[in-house]
Amino acid sequence: KTARAARRVPTLREYFEERWLAHAEVVQNRTTRRAQRAPFAYLLFHAGDKPLDAFLRLAVVNELIEAIRTTGPLTFAVRKSGKPHSKKRSELKAATINKMLATLKALLNLAHAEEVIAEAPRFDLLPQDDSMAVVPPTEEELEKLLAAAEGFRAIAPLMPEVIEFGAETGLRRGELFNLTWRSVELERDAVRVEMQQKSRVVNGQVWKPKHGKHRIVPLSKKAAAILTRLRADRRPAPDDLVFPNNGGCPYERMDGAPKGAGVGWFPAAVEAAGLKGKVTFHSQRHLLAVRLLTRGVPITVVSEILGHSHIEITVKRYGRFSSDAKVKWQAMAVLDVPTPTPSEPARAAEPAPTADGA
């Protein structure tokens, strides 16, 4: 304890630059490090000169949260001309601030594990607003999008298949574009979402599903027909991608896209269909969830198909579409049954007369 007290506790900025960056380079992939740039930029701007052990006091953390909220969104990136980028939003939501707090907590946990600070952080994240509902595209909107995508076959040959397969399987963008033929089982109408050990290296590491959660996704007749047709036309090798991006990112940006590849042709197809602001690439996943739930598939099964880490995520996003939600209408139906008045109590049903008239 005496030796620890004699050592000067580094500031947040010092520990970030001298220890965290080197640690993150080893234990995090490039995507995670990139996602933490903005949270760390805010933290260093507002509290970079505070010693690490200051954040063990709740009052200091609350002051940080208040400062972040009071100041609002900031811009740290600049254009080639030196002019900063314009702000993308007018206020910071609780979810955005929670990313900053979670990032700070990860750094403090490392400092505690390495005995730089005496205690682990104990502050909680902010309650988040769950009021924004998932609004999936309609079947008519999907048909419009598929029709528009047909007009892009010259530059994005597989975009109609990509869109329809996404709506039929609910695969995430990364899962869909990293799917290889080795993981396709047309014999039992299924694809395996799994580590692509032999063929897919992304950001220097073997590609893995989100949360490292491997699963088997059953195929509908439409999805199976798409794969059957593609396999017959191309006769691919096991490690070939099912939906190759051809190095030019023709469908949607993904991990491993070359620098400057842009966002692909999918947004252009959405705009051509007149659905800008209504449909995103992730909308196909929402549509599958709603299709299954409104047809009576148990929400636990839907959660497994989607590959959610917890059933609570599925319930939170899609619970109102589940078969359980129909109970609300059944409950209200009791109001349509006439109720007896106090002066006329309900009489028990009289037994039907017997054959002898009794």
Side-chain angles (χ1 to χ4, degrees), residues 285-333:
R285 184 170 164 85
H286 295 325
L287 180 57
L288 174 80
V290 173
R291 279 172 162 175
L292 295 177
L293 289 170
T294 53
R295 287 164 172 78
V297 177
I299 198 166
T300 52
V301 176
V302 174
S303 182
E304 184 176 348
I305 291 173
L306 295 176
H308 284 161
S309 56
H310 302 287
I311 184 66
E312 291 81 2
I313 296 175
T314 320
V315 173
K316 175 181 172 182
R317 294 180 183 172
Y318 309 111
R320 71 185 192 280
F321 297 106
S322 70
S323 57
D324 292 344
K326 297 178 181 179
V327 176
K328 293 186 291 187
W329 276 263
Q330 297 171 359
M332 297 302 288

Side-chain angles (χ1 to χ4, degrees), residues 224-245:
I226 290 173
L227 296 184
T228 300
R229 186 171 65 252
L230 291 178
R231 187 169 66 174
D233 292 343
R234 293 155 52 193
R235 297 184 179 181
D239 290 327
D240 287 348
L241 292 172
V242 175
F243 301 103
N245 71 335

Side-chain angles (χ1 to χ4, degrees), residues 16-310:
F16 170 76
E17 294 175 350
E18 298 170 7
R19 180 69 187 105
W20 177 264
L21 289 177
H23 174 73
E25 189 75 26
V26 175
V27 303
Q28 294 180 342
N29 60 39
R30 187 173 62 183
T31 301
T32 303
R33 296 197 303 273
R34 184 168 59 242
Q36 289 183 342
R37 286 177 188 169
F40 269 125
Y42 275 90
L43 292 170
L44 296 176
F45 177 85
H46 288 286
D49 296 330
K50 291 186 179 295
L52 292 183
D53 55 359
F55 298 102
L56 300 179
R57 301 197 302 272
L58 183 58
V60 174
V61 177
N62 285 339
E63 288 175 3
L64 172 62
I65 295 172
E66 292 161 9
I68 292 173
R69 273 203 155 142
T70 301
T71 305
L74 301 171
T75 55
F76 300 99
V78 296
R79 303 180 188 275
K80 292 181 179 180
S81 61
K83 183 179 179 181
H85 285 273
S86 58
K87 297 178 181 179
K88 294 183 179 180
R89 54 185 65 85
S90 58
E91 63 177 347
L92 294 173
K93 296 182 179 180
T96 304
I97 298 177
N98 280 342
K99 290 179 182 179
M100 303 177 199
L101 296 177
T103 301
L104 175 61
K105 185 172 285 191
L107 182 144
L108 294 175
N109 280 329
L110 175 65
H112 174 244
E114 297 183 344
E115 299 185 346
V116 176
I117 55 178
E119 302 175 27
R122 293 178 292 179
F123 55 82
D124 296 323
L125 302 183
L126 300 177
Q128 294 183 201
D129 181 12
D130 297 337
S131 60
M132 185 174 292
V134 170
V135 181
T138 63
E139 298 290 346
E140 292 75 17
E141 288 173 337
L142 177 62
E143 291 302 321
K144 285 184 180 179
L145 182 57
L146 288 171
E150 289 290 343
F152 288 79
R153 279 204 181 272
I155 49 181
L158 296 180
M159 184 152 62
E161 286 80 4
V162 166
I163 294 171
E164 188 162 27
F165 194 80
E168 292 292 321
T169 62
L171 293 185
R172 298 181 179 94
R173 180 175 58 186
E175 295 168 348
L176 196 154
F177 288 118
N178 285 290
L179 181 67
T180 64
W181 287 99
R182 186 181 298 279
S183 298
V184 173
E185 298 184 33
L186 284 176
E187 298 76 14
R188 63 166 177 165
D189 291 333
V191 295
R192 302 189 308 273
V193 179
E194 59 189 354
M195 179 189 302
Q196 299 293 345
Q197 181 73 40
K198 296 185 178 181
S199 59
R200 300 297 295 150
V201 177
V202 180
N203 292 336
Q205 296 185 356
V206 174
W207 183 84
K208 297 179 181 179
K210 189 174 182 180
H211 308 301
K213 190 172 183 179
H214 300 192
R215 68 187 190 280
I216 294 177
V217 178
L219 297 176
S220 65
K221 289 184 178 180
K222 284 186 179 180
I226 290 173
L227 296 184
T228 300
R229 186 171 65 252
L230 291 178
R231 187 169 66 174
D233 292 343
R234 293 155 52 193
R235 297 184 179 181
D239 290 327
D240 287 348
L241 292 172
V242 175
F243 301 103
N245 71 335
N246 300 325
C249 200
Y251 313 116
E252 178 74 334
R253 188 160 198 148
M254 54 187 150
D255 289 342
K259 187 176 181 180
V263 293
W265 291 106
F266 180 79
V270 171
E271 189 167 0
L275 299 173
K276 186 176 181 179
K278 297 180 180 179
V279 174
T280 66
F281 197 89
H282 206 71
S283 294
Q284 277 67 256
R285 184 170 164 85
H286 295 325
L287 180 57
L288 174 80
V290 173
R291 279 172 162 175
L292 295 177
L293 289 170
T294 53
R295 287 164 172 78
V297 177
I299 198 166
T300 52
V301 176
V302 174
S303 182
E304 184 176 348
I305 291 173
L306 295 176
H308 284 161
S309 56
H310 302 287

